[in-house]
Amino acid sequence: MEKADIPVVKRSLFSWVFAGNVKLQILLLLIIVVMVAARVLPLEMQKRIVNEAINLRNVDLLFLYSGIYLGAVVFFSVLKYLISIIQTLITQRTTARMRKSLYRHILTLPLSFFRNTQPGMVVNSLSAELTVPGNFAGMAVAAPVTNLLTLLAFAAYLFWLNPLLAAVSLSIYPIVIFLIPVLQKGVNRYNKKRVDAARKFSARIAEAISGIHEIQGNGAYRIENRKYDALVNRLLKIRIFWSLYRFGVKSANGFFTSLGPFLVFILGGWLTIKGQLELGALVAFLSAQERLFDPWKELIEFYQVYQDGKVTYNRTMEYYDFEPEYALEPKDRKPFELDGSVQVKDLSFVTETGIRLLDGINVSLQAGEHLALVGFSGSGKSTLALCIGQLYKYTGGHVLIGEQEVSDLTKKDMVNNIGIVAQNPFIFDGTIEENLLYSCMARVNGSGRDSEGLPTLDDIIAVLQQTGIFVDVLRFGMNTILAHDENKDLVNVIIRVRENFQRDFGEELADYVEFFDENKYLHYSSVAENLIFGTPNKNAFATANLCNNPYFLNFLKQADLTRPLLSLSAELARQTVDILGNLPPESVFFEQSPIGPDELEEFKLLVERLRRTKLHELSAEHHEQLLDLALRFVPGVHKMVALPAILENLILEARAMFRENIVKDDPEAITFYQVTEYIYSQTILNNIFFGKTKTANPQAQEKINQSIVQLLIAEDLLETIIEIGMHYQVGTKGDKLSGGQQQKLAIARIFLKRPRILIMDEATSALDNKSQTRIQNLLETRWKKKNTVISVVHRLDTIKNYDQVAVMKAGKILEIGTYDELIARKGMLYELVGKK
């Protein structure tokens, strides 16, 4: 079992050898004893084969001894493989335990530790540095016991064969035992340097990746390259010397052990010639001497693994050898249920470098009161809030919550009573739901939505609406692509909503929406989309690739569309060049043309060629260019040229022909639009909408969205879509969300927890005015007199209704009172409001 009472950073490397592995290690010892016997037996068989079977020309003995030899070799190989499996299991289990224990410890370290430590260093410690110590734990019993027993068994057998020859051949090993530790000191010295350099190397990479916006924004490529190159060169030098010492150990070992056979040949040969040693004994002796090298080599390798593991392990644990500032959970009692009152008495906070950030702070809040902390940047507002929240350990004075000293409370006490929203909240990689429930699950030690004590779906939806992120989650849900042939009940409802949408809102939204109709030309879809009238399932049928698709090009010829489309494209090119040719290459001028500003120069050259050359005489490359232009032509948007009625009819006829052909030739290529079928390659929204918008007007889009929401509510589908939206993956650090969405999600996360004391550290700084007002109104209407709120405020127009306003400067509270009282005094707050 793991020694839970001893901090991981205080445990020795050897303490991991049997931790959780006692049974496996005992099993290893038993297997090793049997394996060593199986390893010596072939030597005796070699001697008997030569002396008895061959010398006496006895075929029966030859087969008998050879069979025993083969059986021993096979049995040894099986046992060796079994030992390798058990060693691997011990190694991986021990490495996993080390990583888990160290990670748990790291999470409890003071925030000051992380301000001085790069994330890359922590990553390197957990992922790379613990690998070698883990390998040692797997070898700690098997390697020395196996090889020492083997050496002793071989040595005993050699002395049994000939004591003099055995003594001479084994005389080299004491020299090696003396020499290896001398060389190993050099290995250890450079190994320590290697570990330190590898940490800096990992930290440098992590810092560069984290600050990539600044690097690219400032074009600081050379600066960062110089920093990185210097670390690489240092690591290169260290690793070269480290490797030289390691190879020195191996070379010295190999040289001296190779002298063994030489001594056997000289002395053993002489004894055999003199008749004092049997030939079979000499063969067995040579074989044993050769095999002595393997266990000896493995012992040396084990010694190196031990030394490397010890250096790496000690270096790693020394780096994280800090005590947590607070106990994680209370012992012999349940977590406190505090009443929400906050008393700050003569509070001070001095950093490790001696800077006084807080000095003599006094604040008194009754349960349910709201306090606003205001002042210029650096005045100590956030520091005070974080000292109250136990994220910073104050160095003097007192902070009492419900008459309990904060410095004496455990983390569990604080988690159960306090919620904190930071200015730059951290959003974890995962789903919106996982981030929403993060604080609640931490409080109840839950592992999922079904954990007891977690909020219901109705609670979640209410908070999403209150914080203003409901619309975002709904949009994420509507933009979800359902897995094929799953959620069949939901699919049927969505198809019904689609039908109701067209029936109930078709006329009302006629100016805004063009619904898909297989019998009508879609003027707000491209020519390619009109021809295919579906969603491509294969990349070859994507609009951008159609002009290179042999199947599609052949179809255009069969439908007699190639020439008309080329003519249409030529006219589009002429009109665009004539009208826009001399205008600046800005997108706004090209909105009514399928030609983009970056393509204009190419089409100028093409139009000039068309003036001198007939259409059919153009090169295949120019035909492809023109065809691509025609296929992306959208008549309802690109109004520079009208679509001829005859071509419109030809395309409609070709649509039916294309469907008939592709269904027969490649039925998996396209999913066709059918009002009664769900399109699995499209989002839920597109399946309901089943058409194209005619305008980008935000009011029109809002009207469409409201219509769809009404139908979702009528079909009791809104909660289902919200649940789907909550499975949206927010990305690393929430990078798939905007800054405002991240702050709303963080606020919703704490609102769901509904703590007795809420600390908001400029928690609405990234929100627009409307969203900020919504959050403030919510605090004033639903939290006032019920939950204590301490808010670091950057917008002074939001503090009028706070119970108390504290104005801070240089780590002190200059004045405190109600908003009206402080304004009436015409002191610091009056000046701040006036400056705003």
Side-chain angles (χ1 to χ4, degrees):
M1 293 179 61
E2 292 186 17
K3 298 180 180 180
D5 54 331
I6 301 177
V8 63
V9 292
K10 300 295 186 183
R11 291 183 61 173
S12 68
L13 177 57
F14 281 98
S15 71
W16 296 97
V17 174
F18 288 96
N21 300 313
V22 175
K23 293 181 179 178
L24 288 176
Q25 297 286 24
I26 292 174
L27 178 61
L28 269 182
L29 289 173
L30 296 175
I31 296 173
I32 287 168
V33 172
V34 178
M35 187 185 73
V36 169
R39 197 168 191 178
V40 176
L41 184 58
L43 299 176
E44 179 64 18
M45 292 303 102
Q46 286 182 8
K47 186 188 78 170
R48 294 192 180 191
I49 288 171
V50 173
N51 290 344
E52 298 178 22
I54 297 176
N55 194 34
L56 299 176
R57 302 180 182 276
N58 191 324
V59 176
D60 292 336
L61 286 178
L62 176 64
F63 282 114
L64 174 62
Y65 293 149
S66 296
I68 295 173
Y69 180 96
L70 179 61
V73 169
V74 171
F75 187 54
F76 169 79
S77 299
V78 171
L79 293 179
K80 183 73 173 176
Y81 179 68
L82 184 57
I83 286 175
S84 298
I85 292 175
I86 297 174
Q87 278 188 278
T88 300
L89 185 59
I90 293 173
T91 294
Q92 297 307 321
R93 286 172 58 173
T94 303
T95 304
R97 286 193 183 96
M98 285 182 182
R99 286 172 174 161
K100 290 176 182 178
S101 298
L102 183 58
Y103 184 71
R104 291 189 188 103
H105 174 76
I106 290 172
L107 291 182
T108 67
L109 295 182
L111 290 181
S112 57
F113 170 83
F114 295 99
R115 286 196 293 271
N116 300 318
T117 302
Q118 288 290 342
M121 189 173 294
V122 179
V123 172
N124 186 60
S125 296
L126 290 168
S127 61
E129 291 180 12
L130 293 181
T131 301
V132 178
N135 290 340
F136 165 75
M139 300 170 63
V141 172
V145 172
T146 300
N147 295 300
L148 283 174
L149 284 180
T150 303
L151 283 173
L152 290 174
F154 281 1
Y157 182 71
L158 293 179
F159 274 100
W160 179 69
L161 289 176
N162 189 294
L164 176 62
L165 186 56
V168 172
S169 63
L170 295 175
S171 63
I172 59 174
Y173 289 99
I175 301 174
V176 180
I177 292 173
F178 170 78
L179 181 62
I180 295 301
V182 175
L183 293 173
Q184 188 64 40
K185 288 181 181 179
V187 176
N188 292 348
R189 185 170 67 253
Y190 278 95
N191 194 25
K192 290 179 181 178
K193 294 181 180 181
R194 180 188 65 84
V195 172
D196 294 340
R199 286 177 180 169
K200 292 180 180 178
F201 181 71
S202 299
R204 174 73 255 153
I205 296 172
E207 184 180 54
I209 299 303
S210 300
I212 193 66
H213 288 86
E214 290 296 322
I215 294 172
Q216 294 193 357
N218 291 284
Y221 308 108
R222 292 184 178 179
I223 295 175
E224 294 304 318
N225 286 338
R226 281 197 296 270
K227 293 178 183 177
Y228 180 79
D229 290 351
L231 286 174
V232 171
N233 291 337
R234 174 170 170 72
L235 187 59
L236 171 65
K237 182 178 178 181
I238 291 170
R239 289 189 68 91
I240 287 175
F241 279 98
W242 178 59
S243 298
L244 288 175
Y245 275 105
R246 284 171 60 87
F247 293 146
V249 171
K250 291 183 179 180
S251 298
N253 179 54
F255 171 73
F256 281 104
T257 52
S258 296
L259 290 178
F262 168 76
L263 296 175
V264 172
F265 279 125
I266 293 294
L267 182 57
W270 184 81
L271 291 173
T272 303
I273 292 171
K274 293 295 184 178
Q276 299 178 17
L277 185 68
E278 296 175 336
L279 180 61
L282 177 61
V283 172
F285 214 107
L286 286 169
S287 181
Q289 178 67 45
E290 183 180 349
R291 293 188 185 185
L292 272 174
F293 178 73
D294 290 334
W296 182 255
K297 175 186 173 185
E298 290 178 16
L299 273 176
I300 297 300
E301 289 177 352
F302 168 73
Y303 177 72
Q304 285 192 311
V305 169
Y306 164 63
Q307 292 292 333
D308 290 348
K310 183 178 71 171
V311 169
T312 305
Y313 180 83
N314 291 340
R315 209 69 171 171
T316 301
M317 296 306 169
E318 286 169 5
Y319 188 81
Y320 298 103
D321 190 5
F322 291 89
E323 290 289 333
E325 290 179 321
Y326 306 97
L328 298 186
E329 295 187 357
K331 294 181 179 179
D332 304 323
R333 67 171 175 84
K334 292 183 178 181
F336 288 125
E337 298 291 336
L338 305 176
D339 64 10
S341 62
V342 179
Q343 306 294 322
V344 180
K345 300 177 182 179
D346 198 27
L347 184 70
S348 62
F349 178 70
V350 181
T351 66
E352 296 174 353
T353 56
I355 300 174
R356 185 173 291 273
L357 298 181
L358 295 178
D359 186 11
I361 301 294
N362 290 282
V363 175
S364 179
L365 285 176
Q366 298 300 315
E369 285 191 327
H370 290 198
L371 168 69
L373 299 174
V374 302
F376 292 111
S377 296
S379 60
K381 307 185 299 296
S382 296
T383 304
L384 173 57
L386 296 179
C387 282
I388 294 173
Q390 209 193 57
L391 291 180
Y392 289 169
K393 189 168 186 176
Y394 47 89
T395 53
H398 303 277
V399 177
L400 302 176
I401 296 178
E403 301 183 354
Q404 297 291 332
E405 184 73 44
V406 165
S407 60
D408 296 333
L409 293 174
T410 67
K411 282 295 180 183
K412 188 65 175 177
D413 294 320
M414 298 298 292
V415 165
N416 279 17
N417 293 277
I418 288 185
I420 301 174
V421 186
Q423 179 180 0
N424 299 306
F426 194 92
I427 304 300
F428 292 91
D429 187 16
T431 66
I432 285 186
E433 180 183 42
E434 289 168 344
N435 276 278
L436 274 173
L437 297 177
Y438 189 79
S439 295
C440 296
M441 286 197 294
R443 183 174 61 183
V444 302
N445 296 322
S447 57
R449 265 285 296 279
D450 297 330
S451 301
E452 186 178 350
L454 290 182
T456 65
L457 179 60
D458 289 339
D459 295 332
I460 293 174
I461 290 176
V463 168
L464 292 177
Q465 291 174 327
Q466 291 166 6
T467 53
I469 198 173
F470 177 85
V471 174
D472 299 300
V473 177
L474 179 62
R475 186 174 71 252
F476 295 146
M478 295 296 288
N479 287 328
T480 298
I481 296 176
L482 298 178
H484 193 69
D485 290 335
E486 293 184 10
N487 304 293
K488 291 187 177 180
D489 292 338
L490 175 59
V491 163
N492 293 332
V493 177
I494 291 174
I495 292 173
R496 186 163 66 245
V497 171
R498 173 199 294 170
E499 295 169 352
N500 295 341
F501 181 60
Q502 294 193 19
R503 185 192 64 220
D504 297 345
F505 298 99
E507 292 185 12
E508 183 181 343
L509 300 175
D511 293 336
Y512 307 138
V513 181
E514 181 180 54
F515 294 108
F516 292 150
D517 187 334
E518 61 182 314
N519 299 314
K520 293 182 180 179
Y521 190 90
L522 307 172
H523 288 83
Y524 287 85
S525 295
S526 67
V527 169
E529 289 170 326
N530 269 279
L531 282 168
I532 290 178
F533 197 66
T535 300
N537 298 323
K538 294 186 176 180
N539 194 47
F541 287 93
T543 300
N545 299 325
L546 287 176
C547 57
N548 296 314
N549 185 333
Y551 182 92
F552 186 77
L553 294 176
N554 185 55
F555 157 73
L556 291 180
K557 290 179 180 178
Q558 290 178 353
D560 295 326
L561 277 175
T562 304
R563 181 73 184 186
L565 289 177
L566 291 175
S567 299
L568 170 67
S569 185
E571 183 60 23
L572 281 168
R574 292 190 191 97
Q575 291 291 346
T576 300
V577 170
D578 289 345
I579 296 172
L580 305 178
N582 297 319
L583 293 177
E586 296 179 11
S587 299
V588 65
F589 297 123
F590 290 80
E591 289 177 353
Q592 295 190 10
S593 171
I595 296 175
D598 55 329
E599 301 174 300
L600 185 60
E601 293 303 319
E602 293 180 25
F603 279 98
K604 279 184 178 180
L605 296 174
L606 182 57
V607 168
E608 184 62 32
R609 183 177 293 274
L610 279 169
R611 290 194 178 103
R612 305 189 307 270
T613 309
K614 295 187 180 299
L615 190 60
H616 70 277
E617 294 175 344
L618 292 175
S619 66
E621 182 181 350
H622 287 130
H623 277 174
E624 180 182 318
Q625 185 180 3
L626 287 170
L627 187 59
D628 178 59
L629 178 62
L631 291 174
R632 49 188 160 104
F633 173 57
V634 181
V637 176
H638 307 138
K639 299 180 180 179
M640 197 169 289
V641 172
L643 180 68
I646 187 171
L647 181 55
E648 182 176 315
N649 291 330
L650 281 173
I651 291 173
L652 276 176
E653 291 175 4
R655 177 191 295 174
M657 178 180 170
F658 178 76
R659 175 180 292 191
E660 181 180 335
N661 290 352
I662 200 72
V663 167
K664 180 177 60 177
D665 299 332
D666 193 354
E668 302 298 324
I670 309 290
T671 299
F672 294 102
Y673 297 145
Q674 299 180 68
V675 74
T676 58
E677 296 293 329
Y678 192 86
I679 309 168
Y680 283 97
S681 57
Q682 294 288 316
T683 65
I684 292 174
L685 177 62
N686 287 344
N687 268 280
I688 294 174
F689 193 64
F690 204 65
K692 290 285 186 75
T693 54
K694 296 181 178 180
T695 175
N697 187 322
Q699 292 181 346
Q701 191 61 53
E702 181 66 22
K703 194 168 184 178
I704 293 170
N705 291 341
Q706 288 177 356
S707 303
I708 293 177
V709 169
Q710 286 182 36
L711 293 171
L712 294 177
I713 294 173
E715 291 287 345
D716 197 22
L717 201 59
L718 191 62
E719 287 188 359
T720 302
I721 301 299
I722 289 294
E723 281 198 280
I724 293 173
M726 287 197 297
H727 292 120
Y728 177 75
Q729 294 285 336
V730 299
T732 304
K733 297 182 181 179
D735 61 1
K736 292 183 180 178
L737 302 177
S738 67
Q741 288 172 334
Q742 290 181 25
Q743 279 200 337
K744 289 176 185 177
L745 182 55
I747 294 171
R749 178 164 64 195
I750 295 301
F751 278 12
L752 270 177
K753 181 181 177 182
R754 201 161 185 83
R756 288 179 176 80
I757 299 173
L758 172 62
I759 297 176
M760 302 185 72
D761 186 6
E762 297 194 30
T764 60
S765 59
L767 303 185
D768 55 71
N769 292 340
K770 184 178 178 180
S771 297
Q772 282 188 338
T773 302
R774 180 192 294 109
I775 299 298
Q776 192 59 44
N777 289 340
L778 187 65
L779 292 174
E780 293 173 4
T781 57
R782 301 205 178 195
W783 289 65
K784 205 74 170 283
K785 307 303 180 184
K786 298 177 182 177
N787 306 77
T788 305
V789 175
I790 299 172
S791 182
V792 177
V793 179
H794 67 287
R795 279 187 51 184
L796 298 181
D797 58 339
T798 65
I799 66 174
K800 295 180 180 179
N801 295 323
Y802 277 83
D803 297 298
Q804 296 187 56
V805 177
V807 183
M808 298 188 66
K809 183 178 182 181
K812 296 183 178 182
I813 293 180
L814 299 184
E815 57 183 14
I816 186 169
T818 67
Y819 179 84
D820 292 337
E821 289 173 350
L822 297 184
I823 292 296
R825 291 181 195 171
K826 295 189 176 181
M828 179 64 73
L829 180 64
Y830 181 83
E831 293 182 15
L832 287 173
V833 172
K835 289 179 181 178
K836 290 289 182 180

